[in-house]
Amino acid sequence: MTASMDHTPAQTNNLRQFLVLTLGSVGVVYGDIGTSPLYAFREALRPFAAGGVERGEVIGLISLMLWALTIIVSCKYVLFLLRADNDGEGGMLALLALLMKKAPRQTAIMLMVGILGAALFIGDAMITPALSVLSAVEGLKLVTPAFQDYVLPISVAIIVLLFAIQSRGTGAVSNLFGPITLVWFIAMGAAGIAHIGDDLGILAAVNPVHAVTFLWNGGLVGFIVLGAVFLTVTGAEALYADLGHFGRRPIQAAWFAVVFPALALNYVGQGALVLSHPEAISDPFFLMFPSWALLPIVILATAATIIASQAVITGAFSLVRQAIHLGFLPRFEICYTSETQTGQIYLPLVNTALLVGVLVLMLVFGSSESLATAYGVSVTGAMVVTTILAIEFVRHQWNWRIWTATAVLLPLFLLELTFLGANLFKIHDGGYVPILFAGLVMTLMWTWRKGVRILREKTARQDVALDTFIAAVERKSEHAPAVVPGTAIFLTATPDMTPAVLLHNIKHNHVLHEHNVILTIKTARVPYVPEEDRYTLTKLSDRFSKLELRFGFMDDPNVSRALARCRKEGFKFEIMTTSFYLGRRKLVADPLSGMPKWQDKLFIAMADSAIDPTDYFHLPANRVVELGEQVIV
């Protein structure tokens, strides 16, 4: 994923740039959904494998898949949600940030919904690499049975290598994403065309009546099969999340010109193959290809699944960064792997957690067939959350009446709820995995926000109004602190109150700097803040000033760079005679503080794992002074 340094959405001012962005979106945006044909139809057929699949069931399944792609991906995401943006940025948390600003009365409800969606998306980022890579490498078993015992070790090696290179950045590799994935889609479409002639009756699947008939006659089995049918639209959330990186029109063009036709042709071709050769039900995707092409297509499929995995890993990095800046998680280390592309980031802690999770999933489930049952819950859940947020968006941003929003989006919401219900039937077969993981992530986010609120309330009891403090220290008396040359910058989250670290400095060191700046760093509920709106400087007295720096939730909060710009525009201070004062709190658990003991300990552990503010805000390390205090939470 990439984002331009001017912090604006991707533009398409000329044909060449438009084609480059379109090709890039083929690789990054559609990598995940492009690997679904490896396993989706196979898993949908599995409940019918024992008794033999009937002709009407095959046509009905393909019809369901085609119309799922049409309604959910084409209509909801490509044509509708790509227009619902937060200053050009898409994604669940980008939409949530906008709604928190537009509908403050519903903030608590929207927060819970957004946290749930974010947790499910991160779960998707863990399952996708495991399922996709296993599905591709399993094609080796068709090349020769001798590879049977090597599928899992090869898949594990690929995953370990993929996560190992994350710290080096994906800039150079991402240039190959588009071309490789384009070849993948062409190969899938060509294979589909080659087999449609096996049984032209499959073309009847274009008629949605066959999808409805299948569900009507399928009973409980037909409903359960919906969970596998939904695998065809996995990866659709990436469309929305990557809006700011490629722009709406290139993503739409890639879908309608390349991705949708290739997917539709491939699914129809798989259906025709199964109608004419029922034994192909075991693995209809790879059996579409002649024996001489199997090894090349397995290699191409593996490359495509690595690209799909890379896309969701990068998406998880981006989502966690947004969550940190919006206050859902503590500050983790964020490494920028490109000097020119702010979207290329690496989070070591998140990378390690994802790697461990993916390896555990692969080793526990062992095959893509077993793992597919765990996949649908997180994807369908995330889509339901996005639809809920979209209903609020059109009401508050586009000023739709409630009945209009309901009439347009309620049918889609009910359809996705149906898919979610079908996937819930697979809880005992592995569907519990994303539910447990989403529960863990939600607990972490909820604990962090609750703990921060309690901590803020505790420290607020000792607050001294800033104007009162300034009047007191500037009053000439024998108890006034000594004045030393230089500038002191005190970081605080409450600019109208005296920073605790300033009070401690005077209490213990009995000195006051010649110039004192009360610095507040705020995260705006927009993706990027223009440089001209980055700071506001207010002079409070001869010795005191108040400085507010603003960053978007997609910005790199580089305080040193922002202060350098302030200097150019008249904020006079010398960096070598400036000290940055930070407060460091030692947290002590107290079961009576408002959280149970286990949550107290979890909050303290999360706080201890947070990166030092000096590194997070890019402060000059040799100019930072920290003063500590003990706080009971």
Side-chain angles (χ1 to χ4, degrees):
M1 297 184 180
T2 59
S4 55
M5 280 300 289
D6 62 359
H7 301 161
T8 57
Q11 302 295 316
T12 55
N13 297 324
N14 57 65
L15 179 61
R16 182 179 181 278
Q17 188 179 24
F18 175 80
L19 293 176
V20 169
L21 289 170
T22 301
L23 179 61
S25 68
V26 168
V28 175
V29 175
Y30 296 109
D32 190 2
I33 199 171
T35 57
S36 296
L38 284 166
Y39 47 79
F41 188 48
R42 181 193 70 197
E43 294 306 315
L45 287 170
R46 198 165 299 284
F48 306 99
V53 63
E54 296 181 1
R55 183 179 186 84
E57 292 169 340
V58 172
I59 295 175
L61 281 173
I62 296 298
S63 184
L64 276 170
M65 291 178 167
L66 294 179
W67 284 99
L69 288 169
T70 301
I71 295 173
I72 293 178
V73 184
S74 296
C75 296
K76 175 187 173 180
Y77 284 93
V78 178
L79 295 179
F80 174 71
L81 271 184
L82 288 184
R83 298 177 180 273
D85 65 281
N86 186 348
D87 284 0
E89 285 291 333
M92 198 174 302
L93 289 187
L95 196 58
L96 176 62
L98 182 65
L99 291 175
M100 289 167 64
K101 179 172 61 178
K102 292 287 185 179
R105 293 181 181 178
Q106 302 176 26
T107 294
I109 298 174
M110 289 296 101
L111 275 176
M112 289 305 298
V113 172
I115 288 173
L116 172 61
L120 290 169
F121 184 88
I122 295 174
D124 180 21
M126 186 174 291
I127 298 176
T128 292
L131 175 60
S132 299
V133 173
L134 274 172
S135 297
V137 178
E138 282 170 353
L140 289 173
K141 295 187 293 185
L142 298 177
V143 177
T144 170
F147 282 115
Q148 173 78 36
D149 296 332
Y150 297 98
V151 169
L152 187 58
I154 292 174
S155 300
V156 168
I158 290 172
I159 288 295
V160 171
L161 181 62
L162 175 63
F163 280 92
I165 66 171
Q166 295 301 312
S167 61
R168 300 182 179 273
T170 59
V173 180
S174 64
N175 295 329
L176 299 174
F177 282 8
I180 291 175
T181 312
L182 179 62
V183 172
W184 169 247
F185 280 119
I186 292 173
M188 284 199 302
I193 292 172
H195 283 279
I196 290 176
D198 291 356
D199 193 322
L200 292 176
I202 194 64
L203 295 177
V206 175
N207 186 345
V209 171
H210 290 282
V212 176
T213 302
F214 173 85
L215 291 177
W216 185 264
N217 297 329
L220 181 60
V221 173
F223 183 70
I224 294 174
V225 165
L226 277 179
V229 170
F230 202 83
L231 294 173
T232 59
V233 298
T234 56
E237 279 292 321
L239 284 169
Y240 194 31
D242 286 320
L243 173 60
H245 302 302
F246 295 97
R248 175 165 53 91
R249 295 191 182 280
I251 294 175
Q252 290 175 330
W255 173 253
F256 288 112
V258 177
V259 182
F260 190 24
L263 292 174
L265 287 170
N266 191 266
Y267 285 124
V268 171
Q270 288 190 51
L273 175 65
V274 171
L275 285 177
S276 60
H277 300 89
E279 67 277 7
I281 191 175
S282 61
D283 202 330
F285 179 83
F286 283 112
L287 291 175
M288 297 175 75
F289 299 91
S291 57
W292 59 265
L294 270 178
L295 185 58
I297 207 66
V298 168
I299 294 173
L300 181 59
T302 303
T305 55
I306 290 173
I307 291 171
S309 301
Q310 178 63 63
V312 295
I313 292 168
T314 310
F317 289 165
S318 180
L319 184 139
V320 170
R321 174 174 66 173
Q322 294 178 39
I324 291 170
H325 289 177
L326 292 172
F328 296 149
L329 290 170
R331 293 187 293 259
F332 298 140
E333 181 181 2
I334 301 176
C335 304
Y336 290 81
T337 58
S338 170
E339 295 181 358
T340 58
Q341 305 296 332
T342 60
Q344 293 184 21
I345 57 175
Y346 167 68
L347 283 73
L349 186 61
V350 176
N351 191 67
T352 302
L354 287 176
L355 171 59
V356 172
V358 171
L359 291 178
V360 168
L361 286 172
M362 294 176 75
L363 295 174
V364 170
F365 286 89
S367 69
S368 64
E369 176 185 343
S370 301
L371 194 54
T373 59
Y375 197 24
V377 176
S378 60
V379 180
T380 50
M383 287 186 175
V384 168
V385 167
T386 303
T387 301
I388 293 173
L389 295 178
I391 292 173
E392 291 300 302
F393 174 86
V394 297
R395 289 183 57 212
H396 295 284
Q397 188 72 11
W398 290 353
N399 298 317
W400 285 18
R401 295 182 183 274
I402 182 63
W403 63 266
T404 305
T406 302
V408 173
L409 292 173
L410 183 59
L412 181 63
F413 177 70
L414 294 176
L415 174 64
E416 291 175 341
L417 273 183
T418 302
F419 277 117
L420 177 59
N423 277 284
L424 291 177
F425 273 92
K426 302 186 295 185
I427 285 182
H428 64 285
D429 288 328
Y432 60 87
V433 172
I435 293 177
L436 289 176
F437 187 77
L440 172 62
V441 175
M442 284 191 69
T443 301
L444 291 175
M445 291 184 173
W446 170 53
T447 297
W448 182 251
R449 287 190 68 86
K450 186 177 181 181
V452 168
R453 177 178 56 80
I454 292 173
L455 184 61
R456 190 178 295 122
E457 292 172 354
K458 293 264 183 157
T459 55
R461 298 169 189 169
Q462 304 171 2
D463 283 346
V464 177
L466 184 60
D467 53 357
T468 302
F469 171 80
I470 293 175
V473 298
E474 292 193 338
R475 191 182 303 121
K476 295 186 181 298
S477 71
E478 59 182 20
H479 301 294
V483 177
V484 296
T487 300
I489 297 179
F490 299 90
L491 272 71
T492 180
T494 52
D496 294 327
M497 298 295 170
T498 309
V501 67
L502 172 54
L503 296 174
H504 286 313
N505 187 44
I506 291 180
K507 177 181 179 180
H508 296 290
N509 297 326
H510 310 291
V511 297
L512 185 69
H513 282 73
E514 186 178 7
H515 300 290
N516 300 272
V517 179
I518 311 302
L519 172 61
T520 305
I521 302 169
K522 291 191 174 181
T523 299
R525 287 173 183 167
V526 295
Y528 302 105
V529 172
E531 287 295 336
E532 58 269 21
D533 298 329
R534 179 74 69 206
Y535 74 93
T536 300
L537 181 64
T538 305
K539 187 173 182 179
L540 303 177
S541 69
D542 290 338
R543 289 182 185 166
F544 286 87
S545 300
K546 187 189 298 183
L547 176 64
E548 180 180 293
L549 295 179
R550 292 177 291 275
F551 298 94
F553 58 78
M554 295 287 285
D555 276 322
D556 172 20
N558 192 318
V559 171
S560 294
R561 187 187 303 151
L563 289 176
R565 181 177 177 87
C566 293
R567 288 185 62 196
K568 291 180 181 179
E569 298 191 11
F571 176 30
K572 299 187 181 302
F573 73 99
E574 292 298 329
I575 192 67
M576 295 310 297
T577 58
T578 296
S579 298
F580 294 83
Y581 282 81
L582 305 178
R584 179 169 293 275
R585 295 182 175 125
K586 177 177 175 56
L587 304 180
V588 180
D590 178 9
L592 303 178
S593 68
M595 291 194 296
K597 188 174 183 180
W598 69 266
Q599 204 169 22
D600 269 336
K601 291 186 175 182
L602 178 58
F603 175 71
I604 293 172
M606 293 177 71
D608 290 341
S609 69
I611 186 176
D612 191 285
T614 301
D615 298 324
Y616 187 79
F617 293 118
H618 304 278
L619 302 176
N622 61 342
R623 308 301 307 171
V624 173
V625 178
E626 292 187 351
L627 296 176
E629 62 176 329
Q630 182 171 294
V631 181
I632 298 176
V633 295

